[in-house]
Amino acid sequence: MRTEERIVNEVAAALERETSVNLHRFPLQLGFSDGILTMEGEVDQIMAKKRALEVAAAVPGVAWIVDRVRLAPASAMEDGEIREHVCTALLADNQLASCAIWAMVKGKPEVIRETDQAIGSIDVEVRDGVVVLNGAVTSLSAKRLAGVLAWWVPGSRDVINGLDVSPSQEDNDDEVVDAVRLALEKDPFVNASQIRVSCAHYTVTLEGLVRNETERRMAEADAWYVFRVDRVTNLLRVET
């Protein structure tokens, strides 16, 4: 058996063992060449996407991954509609009020918000349901918040968060905790005051009480949406 075929088979076997990845309902296409694994297809939730990438990266011989894994959209939307919703969400958030907002339409920038005292700039482009954020913001929290807001748009199939942070900040677990808390506080369907958040090596743990199983799942999804979160341990309990 050739090395390429063996590694593809090992990745497929690892994905079969991962309970959050349902290859029978959402099959993924795998290809491998020169240390680069290509993964393509749809999954039903953000957890499945991130876990699939992590599991594949752990297979010996996989040096790089070309990520073409997309979420099955909650609502079918055209790219222009997704872009409009993302821009509206960014405009409405007070923590991003100092940022200029630009929409990239057919490769050309269109001003959504520009002020004389703009601190930071966010460019929003959507390609086949994939939201691409470029520009620069002043904090890691702002970068992560912009990404979560983009993920929350029902038509979003993926978010590529290319925002720079200027001046640069050192990332750490405390920064992740702050971002997850912020996401939970902004989610109208989650009671963040009842949830405790901790993080170790980019693995987030959620503890506390929620009203129902739906809120439990939504809180976990919010944590997964945060940039650089590699794993979420959901210890939330449903009130009885």
Side-chain angles (χ1 to χ4, degrees), residues 93-150:
D93 196 278
N94 291 334
Q95 299 216 18
L96 301 173
S98 63
C99 290
I101 309 294
W102 295 75
M104 302 299 294
V105 182
K106 297 181 179 179
K108 296 181 179 179
E110 294 186 3
V111 177
I112 305 299
R113 177 175 66 202
E114 179 69 297
T115 66
D116 294 336
Q117 298 180 344
I119 303 175
S121 177
I122 302 176
D123 302 338
V124 181
E125 186 173 8
V126 182
R127 310 168 190 159
D128 296 326
V130 178
V131 180
V132 181
L133 303 177
N134 284 312
V137 290
T138 58
S139 69
L140 284 165
S141 292
K143 174 187 174 84
R144 288 186 161 107
L145 174 60
V148 170
L149 293 175

Side-chain angles (χ1 to χ4, degrees), residues 2-18:
R2 295 186 309 166
T3 299
E4 291 83 358
E5 184 179 354
R6 176 182 58 80
I7 290 179
V8 166
N9 288 342
E10 289 180 6
V11 171
L15 292 173
E16 285 280 2
R17 294 190 295 269
E18 172 54 47

Side-chain angles (χ1 to χ4, degrees), residues 8 19 24-25 50 70 73 82 100 145 150 153 156 179 186 190 210:
V8 166
T19 57
H24 301 284
R25 184 181 175 194
K50 285 198 172 183
R70 309 292 184 241
I82 296 171
L145 174 60
V153 174
S156 295
K186 290 183 176 292
V190 172
V210 291

Side-chain angles (χ1 to χ4, degrees), residues 128-193:
D128 296 326
V130 178
V131 180
V132 181
L133 303 177
N134 284 312
V137 290
T138 58
S139 69
L140 284 165
S141 292
K143 174 187 174 84
R144 288 186 161 107
L145 174 60
V148 170
L149 293 175
W151 272 117
W152 279 350
V153 174
S156 295
R157 302 183 67 217
D158 198 0
V159 175
I160 300 175
N161 194 337
L163 291 169
D164 291 327
V165 177
S166 181
S168 62
Q169 288 181 258
E170 182 179 353
D171 203 1
N172 53 51
D173 289 332
D174 289 339
E175 288 285 348
V176 173
V177 168
D178 289 345
V180 172
R181 283 177 177 157
L182 185 59
L184 294 173
E185 289 166 1
K186 290 183 176 292
D187 189 337
F189 302 104
V190 172
N191 183 0
S193 66

Side-chain angles (χ1 to χ4, degrees), residues 35-79:
I36 301 173
L37 177 73
T38 301
M39 302 179 65
E40 187 169 359
E42 283 192 336
V43 292
D44 60 340
Q45 53 185 326
I46 182 64
M47 174 176 63
K49 172 183 169 67
K50 285 198 172 183
R51 289 293 299 141
L53 294 171
E54 184 178 5
V55 166
V59 173
V62 176
W64 300 93
I65 295 179
V66 176
D67 173 16
R68 295 176 184 158
V69 180
R70 309 292 184 241
L71 265 64
S75 299
M77 289 186 184
E78 298 293 332
D79 286 352

